[in-house]
Amino acid sequence: MTGPSDRDVAIAKRSARVAMVIVGVFLSWGILQALGAQYDLSRRVMGFGDSVALVAMGWAIYETVMIWRLRREKE
């Protein structure tokens, strides 16, 4: 009986990284929103936080598509 291939392990690690980034970004963004409301942070700071979150989500979507393509490839 054989274990998981190196490709399967790489896909699992990539998937875990994407999941951690998504959770981290949403938690950080939510905390920034709460702090922004409480301390009346400037629009520039809030906009920067939103921009970082959008870029991270774009990266997560890109990585998810790449993982999907890797899974569809035949060995």
Side-chain angles (χ1 to χ4, degrees):
M1 185 170 173
T2 62
S5 70
D6 291 338
R7 183 173 154 261
D8 292 335
V9 171
I11 288 173
K13 285 182 180 180
R14 243 174 137 169
S15 300
R17 187 179 320 121
V18 169
M20 287 187 294
V21 166
I22 290 172
V23 169
V25 165
F26 275 115
L27 285 175
S28 301
W29 182 80
I31 290 168
L32 178 65
Q33 295 299 312
L35 290 174
Q38 185 174 1
Y39 294 113
D40 197 27
L41 295 178
S42 71
R43 289 183 181 184
R44 176 179 275 172
V45 171
M46 299 304 289
F48 179 72
D50 291 344
S51 298
V52 169
L54 282 172
V55 168
M57 287 300 117
W59 174 85
I61 291 169
Y62 172 79
E63 279 295 309
T64 301
V65 169
M66 292 298 111
I67 291 167
W68 175 69
R69 290 178 74 188
L70 281 172
R71 286 186 177 166
R72 290 192 56 179
E73 287 179 4
K74 299 197 190 252
E75 290 187 19

